Amino acid sequence: MASTPTASTESFEGATEDTATAADAPTDLVVVSNREPYQHRYSEEDGVVVDTPVGGLTAGLDRVMQRTDGTWIAWGDSEADPSVVNAADCVRVPPSDPAYTLRRVWLGEDAVREYYYGFSNQVLWPLCHGLVEKAEFDRSFWERYRSVNERFADVVVEQASDASVVWFQDYHLALAPRRVRSSLPASVPLVQFWHIPWPDWESFRACPQ
């Protein structure tokens, strides 16, 4: 969700020239998710501080990324996120001991409403849980979901190299792998992990798209 409880907070001193250089370097493992593993916000007492969102995805994959020095691509949804990235929208994390690159994708209010709260949460989530009657099949939700997935896919192509393994996370990005596949060599593995139940055919076919 856009507003998330946090598990921990620490202060952040800002990106340096060395940080920017490291953030631009290609790496082998590219994780792609809607949720970001670290959020930057403003504090009256401490300036910019870093929150770690609660959740199994971020907690589990953060440990993997810290061991591999890869690139994590995610929606930058916190107020101070834009203030700490470099010119390539990257920042090294965790701030206390930088170990990998976080590449942020920016979404406007309409995109958040229609892609995230709309198609992801009002179409795919209920369908995957067998709640067809609760799905809201608004055409604008689908159009925005498709355009945001294209945006994520284009960022993946920018960040990945011929030696990358790209690991997509969950139903928010169901369309991105196909677009990435058309741009990266066939030798680059694309993997997608679905974190909620996979729908039966009778539920899934209810979606007009």
Side-chain angles (χ1 to χ4, degrees):
M1 304 295 289
S3 182
T4 310
T6 55
S8 63
T9 302
E10 55 186 309
S11 35
F12 177 81
E13 296 180 355
T16 65
E17 186 174 349
D18 291 340
T19 299
T21 302
D24 291 334
T27 52
D28 289 339
L29 179 60
V30 179
V31 165
V32 195
S33 69
N34 179 73
R35 179 74 53 81
E36 60 179 341
Y38 296 92
Q39 297 171 312
H40 293 81
R41 62 177 174 83
Y42 295 110
S43 166
E44 292 184 2
E45 297 79 17
D46 303 312
V48 176
V49 297
V50 181
D51 293 334
T52 306
V54 172
L57 183 150
T58 52
L61 294 185
D62 179 60
R63 299 190 185 105
V64 173
M65 296 301 284
Q66 289 193 41
R67 294 174 66 92
T68 62
D69 192 12
T71 299
W72 190 322
I73 299 170
W75 166 31
D77 66 333
S78 196
E79 57 180 350
D81 283 352
S83 69
V84 300
V85 297
N86 63 19
D89 292 325
C90 295
V91 61
R92 296 287 287 177
V93 292
S96 57
D97 184 21
Y100 66 92
T101 298
L102 173 58
R103 167 65 156 90
R104 286 177 166 143
V105 177
W106 312 114
L107 302 178
E109 291 183 4
D110 289 344
V112 173
R113 183 178 65 253
E114 295 170 345
Y115 142 78
Y116 182 65
Y117 293 110
F119 198 81
S120 295
N121 287 358
Q122 295 184 53
V123 177
L124 290 180
W125 196 94
L127 288 182
C128 287
H129 290 83
L131 303 173
V132 177
E133 70 281 1
K134 293 187 177 297
E136 296 290 338
F137 301 114
D138 188 309
R139 181 73 185 182
S140 66
F141 292 171
W142 163 249
E143 296 295 346
R144 188 72 68 170
Y145 181 84
R146 186 168 59 181
S147 67
V148 170
N149 270 250
E150 290 173 353
R151 171 62 178 146
F152 269 90
D154 291 346
V155 172
V156 170
V157 173
E158 292 171 8
Q159 296 293 136
S161 71
D162 290 353
S164 294
V165 173
V166 184
W167 190 8
F168 296 90
Q169 306 298 320
D170 225 348
Y171 60 101
H172 310 90
L173 300 169
L175 302 180
R178 176 177 289 184
R179 185 176 176 92
V180 172
R181 180 78 290 158
S182 67
S183 299
L184 293 182
S187 59
V188 176
L190 305 182
V191 183
Q192 185 163 31
F193 188 82
W194 203 265
H195 292 260
I196 61 175
W198 185 257
D200 60 52
W201 173 238
E202 290 304 315
S203 295
F204 214 16
R205 70 187 301 204
C207 179
Q209 290 78 33

